[in-house]
Amino acid sequence: MRRIVFALAATALLALGAASPAHAAGASLQPVQDRYEAGDIATFVGYVSPSAAGGWVDDAPYATFAVAATGPRVLLGTVAFEPAPRLGPRTLRVSLTALLPSQLAAGHYSLVICNERCAKGFGDLAGGTIHVGVDPPQPIVREWPPDEVEIVNLPSGAATIWPAPPAPTPSTPASVQPRAATTGATGVVPTFARATPPAPVDLPSHDASPVALALGGLLAAICTGMVLVALRES
């Protein structure tokens, strides 16, 4: 009866996890081998961060179910965890070693991890996948740090990645200083001579001719006489 309750709750949790983008973006419990056969001992490893939507160590134990599109849900076992404080936000290493039932049908199984009655998931652990009797549809890339002990047991050519640490916060930029003068090859700051203003240009002068002077004097005398006559008549 208890297994039935677990299986039903696991199905509901799987549906909720698939519908939640935030949950799908979390950590994953990943298998050491790309493919297992029924009756094999399977090993899984993941690195977990706390999550407001999930439980934590105080809510243990956490069971793992293999869930297929059809057929029964299979309880694989309870995960173990240990601190991983030097790995930044991924503060726990989670692992599971489980004997796969010999009657387990071939197929791709989703993993659901939850505590008793599946009331809570484990941190940001979104689940995982196991391929039983079939090859994975695409290469599996494990999100494991370089010193993960199970890396030596991975299939030849298997890839692992680990999130890069967050970039340091940039410091406040210093005020911009005036750019220094560029020195030449000799180390002396080059100077530039000011442009010399153009020399004044002397315009050619034209001396008045004697005839022009005589005509001007005559015109001035006539005007003066006309003015005197007008004054007498008035």
Side-chain angles (χ1 to χ4, degrees), residues 32 92 126 178 203 213:
V32 173
L92 288 181
L203 298 176
L213 292 175

Side-chain angles (χ1 to χ4, degrees), residues 36-44 74-77 96-104 130:
Y36 286 102
E37 304 296 333
D40 286 350
I41 295 177
T43 301
F44 307 85
V74 180
L75 176 62
L76 298 181
L96 171 69
T97 299
L99 175 62
L100 301 180
S102 58
Q103 72 275 16
L104 192 62
I130 179 175

Side-chain angles (χ1 to χ4, degrees), residues 11-75:
T11 303
L13 186 66
L14 179 62
L16 289 174
S20 172
H23 199 64
S28 177
L29 196 61
Q30 298 169 310
V32 173
Q33 299 300 318
D34 292 345
R35 167 177 173 165
Y36 286 102
E37 304 296 333
D40 286 350
I41 295 177
T43 301
F44 307 85
V45 176
Y47 287 82
V48 186
S49 300
S51 170
W56 202 233
V57 295
D58 294 339
D59 301 300
Y62 290 90
T64 301
F65 299 90
V67 182
T70 59
R73 280 63 171 168
V74 180
L75 176 62

Side-chain angles (χ1 to χ4, degrees), residues 13-188:
L13 186 66
L14 179 62
L16 289 174
S20 172
H23 199 64
S28 177
L29 196 61
Q30 298 169 310
V32 173
Q33 299 300 318
D34 292 345
R35 167 177 173 165
Y36 286 102
E37 304 296 333
D40 286 350
I41 295 177
T43 301
F44 307 85
V45 176
Y47 287 82
V48 186
S49 300
S51 170
W56 202 233
V57 295
D58 294 339
D59 301 300
Y62 290 90
T64 301
F65 299 90
V67 182
T70 59
R73 280 63 171 168
V74 180
L75 176 62
L76 298 181
T78 302
V79 298
F81 50 86
E82 57 185 315
R86 60 184 182 77
L87 297 179
R90 301 282 179 194
T91 57
L92 288 181
R93 177 185 185 270
V94 179
S95 62
L96 171 69
T97 299
L99 175 62
L100 301 180
S102 58
Q103 72 275 16
L104 192 62
H108 307 286
Y109 291 81
S110 297
L111 300 179
V112 175
I113 300 95
C114 57
N115 67 345
E116 188 172 5
R117 301 183 186 278
C118 276
K120 294 181 179 180
F122 195 177
D124 69 342
L125 191 57
T129 305
I130 179 175
H131 311 281
V132 180
V134 293
D135 293 328
Q138 58 189 13
I140 301 174
V141 179
R142 282 84 174 172
E143 292 187 8
W144 295 350
D147 60 352
E148 165 56 47
V149 296
E150 291 293 345
I151 287 180
V152 297
N153 298 319
L154 291 177
S156 177
T160 62
I161 60 172
W162 186 248
T169 303
S171 56
T172 303
S175 58
V176 178
Q177 299 296 327
R179 182 179 294 180
T182 305
T183 59
T186 59
V188 179

Side-chain angles (χ1 to χ4, degrees), residues 221-234:
I222 293 173
C223 291
T224 302
M226 293 176 65
V227 169
L228 292 176
V229 173
L231 289 174
R232 289 193 196 102
E233 290 179 354
S234 60

